[in-house]
């Protein structure tokens, strides 16, 4: 079971009722501490934490309790490529800016063109893989000022792959709900920022 807590100004730990809780932070602790995601919490837990943050006027440094949540459709879960963003046009600068959301540019291909961005993903079984967003015309390695101003998005895939040679493709149902949501959130925000 998950225990949600916050660290108070005096470095004490409290729950959503602002009651003190004991958290084992020793090297021998039986669990681990992580960031809460709305998909981990019930509506009641989110509401209680939201009320506490409001009472104390706590500003979250990044969207957390109110974080946007996205889900794969049943069809997408059983696919090895997501096409919901295919054909959308985004600025090359915005594509490069995905590094701030944990995505890095793929390997330059012949001629120095980069035609995908990737994000490391850990599957529920502990296996590591990549989420890849493919696009064209391409970013230019070492020559951003000379590259096309926009990129046309293609599919998102999972696996150790490149745009030209997909290796070990995986169905999207291997993702947990939080990882799927975060992948979809990053690309949705990319597209929405372009269209704003």
């Amino acid at each position: 079971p998950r225990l949600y807590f916050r660290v108070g100004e005096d470095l004490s730990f409290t729950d959503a009722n602002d009651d003190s809780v004991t958290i084992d932070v020793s090297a021998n602790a039986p669990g681990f501490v992580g960031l809460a995601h709305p998909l981990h919490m019930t509506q009641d837990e989110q509401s209680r934490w939201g009320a506490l943050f409001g009472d104390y006027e706590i500003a979250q440094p990044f969207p957390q309790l109110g974080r946007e949540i996205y889900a794969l459709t049943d069809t997408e879960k059983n696919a090895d490529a997501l096409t919901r963003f295919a054909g959308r046009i985004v600025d090359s600068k915005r594509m490069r800016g995905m590094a701030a959301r944990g995505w890095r540019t793929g390997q330059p291909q012949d001629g120095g063109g980069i035609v995908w961005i990737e994000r490391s993903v850990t599957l529920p079984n502990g296996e590591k893989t990549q989420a890849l967003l493919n696009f064209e015309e391409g970013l230019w390695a070492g020559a951003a000022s000379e590259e096309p101003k926009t990129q046309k998005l293609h599919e998102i895939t999972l696996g150790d792959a490149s745009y030209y040679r997909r290796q070990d493709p995986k169905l999207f149902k291997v993702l947990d709900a939080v990882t799927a949501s975060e992948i979809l959130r990053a690309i949705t925000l990319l597209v929405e920022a372009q269209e704003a």
Side-chain angles (χ1 to χ4, degrees), residues 15-95:
D15 63 16
N17 298 320
D18 208 23
D19 294 332
S20 181
V21 294
T22 301
I23 305 295
D24 182 357
V25 293
S26 71
N28 298 322
F32 61 92
V33 174
L35 290 174
H37 191 283
L39 285 172
H40 292 145
M41 304 173 91
T42 65
Q43 281 296 119
D44 180 58
E45 288 169 326
Q46 290 178 45
S47 295
R48 288 188 2 238
W49 279 106
L52 181 75
F53 282 21
D55 289 347
Y56 282 101
E57 298 180 0
I58 296 172
Q60 297 174 58
F62 57 89
Q64 187 176 10
L65 290 177
R67 193 170 191 82
E68 305 90 339
I69 296 172
Y70 299 90
L72 296 166
T73 66
D74 288 339
T75 301
E76 289 173 331
K77 288 177 185 175
N78 290 301
D80 66 358
L82 299 183
T83 58
R84 74 163 69 176
F85 303 105
R88 304 300 270 280
I89 305 296
V90 299
D91 288 339
S92 295
K93 288 181 182 178
R94 290 190 189 280
M95 188 68 71

Side-chain angles (χ1 to χ4, degrees), residues 122-145:
T122 302
L123 303 179
N125 67 3
E127 180 185 351
K128 304 233 186 259
T129 191
Q130 303 292 322
L132 300 105
L133 171 61
N134 301 292
F135 55 89
E136 63 175 291
E137 295 294 320
L139 303 174
W140 303 140
S145 62

Side-chain angles (χ1 to χ4, degrees), residues 76-82 121 123 125 127-132 156-161 166-175:
E76 289 173 331
K77 288 177 185 175
N78 290 301
D80 66 358
L82 299 183
V121 174
L123 303 179
N125 67 3
E127 180 185 351
K128 304 233 186 259
T129 191
Q130 303 292 322
L132 300 105
I156 303 169
T157 58
L158 291 176
D160 297 322
R166 292 184 59 206
Q167 300 169 11
D168 189 27
K170 298 186 180 339
L171 300 182
F172 278 82
K173 66 183 174 184
V174 301
L175 297 177

Side-chain angles (χ1 to χ4, degrees), residues 150-169:
T150 61
Q151 303 296 323
K152 181 178 180 181
L153 302 184
H154 289 289
E155 73 280 350
I156 303 169
T157 58
L158 291 176
D160 297 322
S162 75
Y163 186 74
Y164 300 108
R165 286 177 293 137
R166 292 184 59 206
Q167 300 169 11
D168 189 27

